[in-house]
Amino acid sequence: MKILVSKCLLGYNCRYKGDNCLNAKVIDLVKQGHQVVAVCPEQDGGLPTPRDPGEIVGDKVLTKEGKDITAEYRKGAEHALELARKEGVDMAVLKSKSPSCGCGKIYDGTFSGTLKDGNGVTAQLLLDNGVKVVTEELL
């Protein structure tokens, strides 16, 4: 099985804080012989690391200071979809709660740590194009 995976779950220091979310269950997928295609939509969309965190507010992605970073998130999502198609992935395992990768629950746009139902920009684009998406929490 070929799986698109958020780089932070593989131990890459690409999160907004410059750290990672290395996940043992994701590493087990690699050890089991699954082919992994690593992706960080935020970096691929042109955002630096570290960077100001973003959250979805209405139909935009904004930083806490109100800077609109929607274009970078969309560019990164398009790159992830292109990579998924090119590599013929069977599914994606993405970082939960992220405004890019979250699936099912994301932060609510108030920067208070509160969750709401919804999907991140990349997760939604992948789902809209027939890619099965789960988060590391569902492995």
Side-chain angles (χ1 to χ4, degrees), residues 28-49:
D28 284 345
L29 292 174
V30 176
K31 290 178 181 175
Q32 292 166 10
H34 296 288
Q35 292 180 315
V36 168
V37 178
V39 65
C40 177
E42 290 92 341
Q43 286 183 334
D44 296 336
L47 293 172
T49 301

Side-chain angles (χ1 to χ4, degrees), residues 1-10 26 29-30 34-41 44 76-95 100-101 122-123 125-127 131-136 139:
M1 182 178 287
K2 195 177 273 193
I3 307 169
L4 187 73
V5 177
S6 294
K7 283 183 175 181
C8 63
L9 298 174
L10 293 165
V26 172
L29 292 174
V30 176
H34 296 288
Q35 292 180 315
V36 168
V37 178
V39 65
C40 177
D44 296 336
E78 290 287 344
H79 174 78
L81 177 60
E82 181 182 318
L83 197 56
R85 287 177 171 161
K86 177 183 169 193
E87 295 292 333
V89 301
D90 300 293
M91 67 180 291
V93 178
L94 302 178
K95 177 68 185 103
S100 182
C101 295
T122 297
L125 185 62
L126 292 171
L127 288 166
V131 178
K132 179 182 177 183
V133 177
V134 298
T135 68
E136 79 281 8
L139 286 180

